[in-house]
Amino acid sequence: MTPLKSRIIKHIKTAGALPLAEYMHWCMADAKDGYYANQTAIGSKGDFITAPEISQMFGEMIGIWAAETWDALGKPSPFNLVELGPGKGTLMHDLLRIGNAVPDFLVAAQIQMIETSDKLIKTQKQTLNEYDNITWHKSIQNIPAQPTILIANEFLDVLPIRQYIKTGNEWREHSISLDDNDALIWVLGAGVLEADSLPPNAMNEPDGAVFEISTIREAFIANTSNLLKENTGSAIFIDYGHGKTGFGDTVQAMRNHGFADILKEPGLADLTSHVDFDSLGKIAKETGLNIKPLQKQGEFLIKTGLLERAGQLGHQKSPEIQELLTQQAERLALPDEMGDLFKVFEFGTL
Ligand code: SAH
């Protein structure tokens, strides 16, 4: 039994069934027993591997995007270079390698890292120890009011979501309770989703259909949008998900590079779900920002120069290194690898 599991059981016994979003919040973000406080999440020794950990070329392509965006914004100085959920700090490190080559970019950049995990803040400080213009924040609310370029990779998918299950004429909240042996089980909670929060065709769905919403993701997009609207700037969110709001259960637990049971070992497995970019795009649009058409990660990387960079890095290197670079580029960009599932969601004042 994980320490978090006994705390969750105690909570359910006193307060009743726990909605999925609250369960996910405990599992992922609890400061003492949560996943990001304790686990070696990212990398070949962790539970999953992210694009920046696959290849330096990923962060470098984001670096090219950031430098071009800064140029298009009129080279504001100073400006915020913000990253949400920077993991091990690898993406920022690779981005800054490109930024270093752009005159005045690094002088103008005030780097703002938004991270809740003390353990990962420590790792990020080690990765980025050659830079001194970096500030860490626990919340996006504390960023200085000035032009902003914001990046986030595989950040939205870790934020809690709510699930509602079609039951007769209602959509009831998917929640977690206990059986007679104190095992965690799925139940339908008391919460009901109002019709105006559902897509128009929701009542045609069969019983058991699942609808997901994430108020915390929406809040991050709303906060980002306000920051960009008030100060000018652009944001890029890269994550797996879909471009059209739909139905279906997308929550998954990952441990040791394989799927795990969501309820079995709270705090030990990584819980994520697919991002609904359709609903998030509407929020950014309502703020008055321009939304770029959603791109596939593969298309974005190739357009930005992935293959040219692979060629440059492999120039006059051994066949083994060249083969490794080819494999990395394929993993990031091929449609049946990360290329199609991962999307690039870009919006801002440009
Ligand atoms: N971007 C990194 C890491 C992705 S994992 C990469 O691509 O490798 C998700 C990251 O978001 C972790 O760093 C985690 O600690 C952080 N995180 C999770 N919830 C957060 C929140 N509410 N605010 C800020 N960071 C958060």
Side-chain angles (χ1 to χ4, degrees):
M1 165 105 52
T2 65
L4 191 61
K5 194 163 186 173
S6 41
R7 287 171 57 202
I8 289 175
I9 289 173
K10 216 162 150 190
H11 180 89
I12 293 175
K13 282 188 175 164
T14 44
L18 201 58
L20 171 64
E22 283 159 47
Y23 177 76
M24 288 179 91
H25 184 75
W26 281 56
C27 291
M28 300 307 289
D30 186 79
K32 187 162 147 278
D33 299 319
Y35 182 75
Y36 280 109
N38 296 295
Q39 303 303 315
T40 308
I42 312 158
S44 50
K45 293 200 192 73
D47 294 312
F48 57 95
I49 191 147
T50 55
E53 304 299 328
I54 290 173
S55 170
Q56 71 179 69
M57 295 185 284
F58 183 79
E60 289 172 346
M61 292 305 109
I62 309 296
I64 293 176
W65 172 83
E68 286 173 350
T69 301
W70 181 63
D71 194 49
L73 288 167
K75 301 191 178 179
S77 181
F79 76 101
N80 296 315
L81 179 58
V82 184
E83 182 170 5
L84 305 181
K88 294 174 151 183
T90 312
L91 195 169
M92 184 57 81
H93 190 258
D94 294 330
L95 183 161
L96 293 174
R97 183 177 311 114
I98 298 295
N100 247 323
V102 177
D104 301 330
F105 181 87
L106 270 194
V107 178
Q110 294 187 345
I111 301 165
Q112 321 282 354
M113 306 284 259
I114 317 297
E115 174 61 68
T116 41
S117 159
D118 290 325
K119 187 175 170 184
L120 285 171
I121 290 175
K122 232 181 186 172
T123 310
Q124 291 158 20
K125 288 190 169 162
Q126 280 163 4
T127 309
L128 295 159
N129 62 2
E130 71 216 73
Y131 298 97
D132 52 14
N133 52 341
I134 308 184
T135 314
W136 273 265
H137 311 263
K138 296 244 156 139
S139 152
I140 191 177
Q141 318 266 11
N142 308 326
I143 295 177
Q146 59 191 12
T148 296
I149 295 177
L150 182 144
I151 57 172
N153 184 61
E154 287 209 44
F155 170 70
L156 296 170
D157 70 87
V158 306
L159 300 175
I161 62 159
R162 295 187 178 277
Q163 279 189 338
Y164 292 88
I165 312 287
K166 171 108 187 299
T167 315
N169 294 326
E170 290 181 330
W171 288 80
R172 300 264 307 274
E173 182 153 22
H174 213 191
S175 305
I176 288 125
S177 189
L178 301 172
D179 70 6
D180 295 340
N181 302 317
D182 278 358
L184 297 176
I185 52 165
W186 291 104
V187 294
L188 293 177
V192 171
L193 191 62
E194 300 295 327
D196 60 2
S197 301
L198 284 156
N201 55 344
M203 281 308 168
N204 302 335
E205 290 295 305
D207 267 18
V210 180
F211 184 63
E212 298 180 339
I213 54 174
S214 175
T215 41
I216 172 151
R217 271 180 206 156
E218 291 172 3
F220 267 104
I221 297 300
N223 283 328
T224 302
S225 299
N226 289 331
L227 184 71
L228 299 182
K229 181 73 193 160
E230 283 160 21
N231 304 289
T232 72
S234 287
I236 196 169
F237 286 81
I238 302 166
D239 225 312
Y240 45 98
H242 36 271
K244 184 106 194 72
T245 301
F247 299 93
D249 173 8
T250 74
V251 180
Q252 62 187 40
M254 292 283 281
R255 200 168 174 212
N256 300 326
H257 297 270
F259 291 109
D261 183 333
I262 296 167
L263 301 185
K264 200 162 162 221
E265 296 173 307
L268 297 188
D270 178 45
L271 301 183
T272 64
S273 64
H274 287 207
V275 176
D276 174 1
F277 290 107
D278 195 3
S279 70
L280 299 181
K282 283 178 186 140
I283 292 170
K285 206 167 197 163
E286 277 162 19
T287 320
L289 295 174
N290 300 321
I291 322 294
K292 298 269 162 75
L294 197 66
Q295 297 181 73
K296 292 175 178 155
Q297 172 171 302
E299 290 166 1
F300 169 84
L301 292 176
I302 287 173
K303 198 185 74 192
T304 313
L306 178 71
L307 303 181
E308 291 79 358
R309 182 64 177 146
Q312 205 178 36
L313 289 170
H315 184 61
Q316 293 184 339
K317 295 279 160 52
S318 68
E320 289 76 25
I321 290 185
Q322 290 173 346
E323 174 58 25
L324 185 69
L325 288 161
T326 305
Q327 280 171 7
Q328 291 176 350
E330 286 179 351
R331 182 134 180 231
L332 294 175
L334 279 183
D336 56 353
E337 302 258 359
M338 297 176 84
D340 272 8
L341 177 61
F342 282 75
K343 310 289 189 308
V344 178
F345 170 44
E346 181 182 343
F347 58 93
T349 53
L350 288 175

